């Protein structure tokens, strides 16, 4: 059995440092991929509670499948569909439509499970509140159970881990060039996916480049020492992997722009010409994807598109995380 402790004794999984050594984590992912039911005994009579404040498809299905593979019972709670509306702020007079406070709801939830997965998006109106991870940290503080992020206001580590697994499987050179490219979108989207992708690629052994319009700089704690190239064509040159993703303005250079769409430049849409600049690069996206905005049909349907294997690896990344948490219970 491969076992490599996370840095925080498995009490939470949020950032790349929580997974420990990446090569060891990738080896464990491959072990699980070879036999997804090998560790069913770990989850016997254990319960995972998955709490969704926002919609989900891949995260919901892959996390539930991973837990079931490991022998767990699963409870899924959609906070906005069937539960009491929850207040998240302290010091408020609850005379509106919210009947229960999260500070009572969280310890109650903890009574019914052995670990908790939380999905709660950024509001994109208050940068300080979002980047403090207010909701997630209340679960960590008050649930009394191990907590992992199923996408939060600022991070999506299960996605980024799956992305790394996919790159490791498809790379043709030892140290591939990986490019994270901004692309236009019709709605303001959070920075969670690009933040985590940048964080994990900075920790991995890849040549990592981020390209986006000026003003869309990611928070330095996630962008790290990645090379930022504002010329998309230069960024794409020689790339082995193109990871396309929209994000709204992170408000780093101008806090007043946080959460806003400050560019709709359609020249950033990834099409066949863009991919021709690469080293026969693979196309990646976390899904769901807006065709014609993020990427054209011919690119996402091409033989170099690996978005489906990438999505499939969500089951694997989650299995590694849940397995480690079970081993530490």
């Amino acid at each position: 059995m491969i076992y490599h402790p996370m840095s925080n004794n498995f009490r939470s999984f949020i950032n790349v440092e929580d997974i420990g050594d990446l090569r060891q984590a990738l080896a464990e992912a491959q072990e699980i991929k070879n036999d997804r039911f090998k560790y069913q005994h770990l989850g016997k009579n254990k319960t995972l509670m998955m709490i969704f404040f926002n919609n989900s498809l891949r995260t919901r299905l892959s996390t539930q499948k991973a837990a079931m593979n490991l022998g767990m019972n699963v409870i899924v709670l959609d906070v906005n569909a069937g539960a009491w509306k929850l207040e998240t702020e302290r010091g408020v007079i609850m005379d509106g439509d919210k009947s229960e406070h999260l500070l009572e709801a969280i310890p109650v939830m903890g009574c019914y499970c052995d670990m908790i997965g939380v999905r709660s998006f950024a509001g994109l109106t208050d940068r300080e509140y979002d980047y403090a991870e207010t909701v997630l940290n209340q679960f960590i503080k008050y649930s009394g159970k191990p907590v992992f992020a199923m996408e939060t206001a600022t991070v999506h580590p299960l996605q980024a881990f799956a992305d790394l697994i996919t790159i490791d499987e498809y790379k043709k050179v030892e140290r591939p060039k990986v490019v994270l490219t901004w692309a236009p979108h019709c709605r303001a989207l959070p920075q969670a996916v690009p933040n985590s992708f940048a964080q994990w690629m900075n920790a991995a052994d890849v040549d990592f480049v981020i390209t986006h319009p000026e003003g869309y700089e990611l928070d330095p704690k996630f962008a790290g020492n990645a090379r930022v190239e504002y010329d998309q064509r230069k960024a794409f040159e020689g790339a082995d992997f193109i990871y396309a993703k929209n994000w709204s303005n992170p408000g780093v250079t101008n806090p007043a722009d946080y959460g806003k769409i400050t560019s709709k430049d359609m020249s950033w849409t990834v099409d066949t010409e863009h991919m021709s600049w690469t080293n026969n690069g693979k196309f990646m996206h976390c899904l769901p994807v807006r065709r014609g905005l993020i990427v054209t049909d011919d690119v996402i349907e091409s033989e170099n598109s690996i978005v489906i294997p990438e999505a499939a690896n969500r089951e694997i990344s989650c299995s590694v995380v849940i397995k480690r948490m079970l081993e530490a219970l």
Side-chain angles (χ1 to χ4, degrees):
M1 178 177 70
I2 299 175
Y3 176 72
H4 304 289
M6 294 181 182
S7 61
N8 55 5
N9 295 319
F10 299 5
R11 294 304 299 177
S12 61
F13 173 72
I14 305 168
N15 297 307
V16 66
E17 56 265 24
D18 297 327
I19 201 69
D21 183 270
L22 288 182
R23 296 310 310 175
Q24 295 173 340
L26 287 169
E28 191 167 349
Q30 189 57 55
E31 179 194 30
I32 287 175
K33 199 165 188 176
N34 291 338
D35 185 353
R36 296 167 199 242
F37 307 103
K38 183 176 181 180
Y39 296 101
Q40 275 190 329
H41 61 282
L42 291 176
K44 184 178 180 180
N45 297 329
K46 298 292 192 302
T47 299
L48 167 66
M49 182 174 288
M50 299 165 57
I51 301 167
F52 291 89
F53 290 84
N54 301 91
N55 295 335
S56 174
L57 190 150
R58 274 147 297 277
T59 297
R60 180 188 297 262
L61 298 178
S62 62
T63 306
Q64 188 164 355
K65 181 65 163 65
M68 292 167 64
N69 290 352
L70 291 163
M72 298 191 78
N73 302 311
V74 180
I75 299 172
V76 179
L77 176 65
D78 286 295
V79 171
N80 297 319
W84 300 114
K85 289 188 177 181
L86 297 177
E87 177 59 65
T88 60
E89 298 281 356
R90 295 185 75 254
V92 299
I93 297 173
M94 292 175 57
D95 59 355
D97 65 343
K98 296 178 179 178
S99 305
E100 184 165 8
H101 202 287
L102 200 60
L103 295 183
E104 283 80 63
I106 289 173
V108 168
M109 294 175 193
C111 294
Y112 306 142
C113 64
D114 298 281
M115 72 177 67
I116 297 174
V118 179
R119 183 177 178 91
S120 178
F121 290 176
L124 297 179
T125 57
D126 184 336
R127 190 181 195 280
E128 184 178 353
Y129 181 88
D130 288 344
Y131 273 71
E133 289 292 4
T134 306
V135 173
L136 176 69
N137 283 324
Q138 288 184 56
F139 275 93
I140 293 171
K141 185 175 181 179
Y142 297 113
S143 71
K145 297 296 163 64
V147 175
F148 63 90
M150 300 192 301
E151 187 169 3
T152 71
T154 66
V155 292
H156 198 349
L158 292 173
Q159 179 65 55
F161 186 16
D163 297 333
L164 179 61
I165 293 169
T166 308
I167 289 170
D168 192 62
E169 290 175 335
Y170 281 87
K171 69 181 183 181
K172 295 181 180 179
V173 295
E174 188 60 30
R175 191 170 188 269
K177 181 178 179 180
V178 179
V179 177
L180 169 63
T181 181
W182 178 91
H185 203 281
C186 56
R187 297 177 55 222
L189 300 182
Q191 300 98 43
V193 169
N195 280 346
S196 277
F197 187 75
Q199 187 184 51
W200 285 67
M201 290 303 107
N202 281 325
D205 187 18
V206 301
D207 177 12
F208 182 51
V209 180
I210 306 174
T211 184
H212 53 70
E214 292 192 41
Y216 271 80
E217 291 78 11
L218 297 175
D219 190 295
K221 73 178 180 181
F222 297 112
N225 296 321
R227 178 160 58 91
V228 176
E229 175 57 69
Y230 297 109
D231 185 322
Q232 193 183 28
R233 179 164 187 159
K234 287 183 180 179
F236 275 46
E237 289 176 355
D240 299 292
F241 296 90
I242 298 296
Y243 196 101
K245 184 70 180 78
N246 173 267
W247 60 91
S248 61
N249 196 304
V252 173
T253 57
N254 184 1
D257 286 336
Y258 175 65
K260 296 180 180 178
I261 299 174
T262 52
S263 176
K264 294 183 179 180
D265 189 347
M266 293 293 290
S267 71
W268 285 76
T269 300
V270 179
D271 59 17
T272 300
E273 181 183 359
H274 284 71
M275 295 303 293
S276 72
W277 305 334
T278 71
N279 180 32
N280 196 31
K282 301 293 187 183
F283 177 81
M284 301 179 69
H285 189 278
C286 61
L287 303 180
V289 64
R290 299 265 186 156
R291 293 188 181 209
L293 289 174
I294 302 292
V295 61
T296 56
D297 290 343
D298 51 347
V299 170
I300 198 168
E301 294 175 7
S302 74
E303 62 180 13
N304 276 9
S305 172
I306 53 174
V307 297
I308 304 304
E310 179 185 0
N313 277 329
R314 290 292 308 279
E315 177 188 341
I316 306 304
S317 66
C318 193
S319 295
V320 173
V321 171
I322 294 177
K323 169 183 172 289
R324 291 183 174 193
M325 285 187 165
L326 286 169
E327 288 172 325
L329 287 177

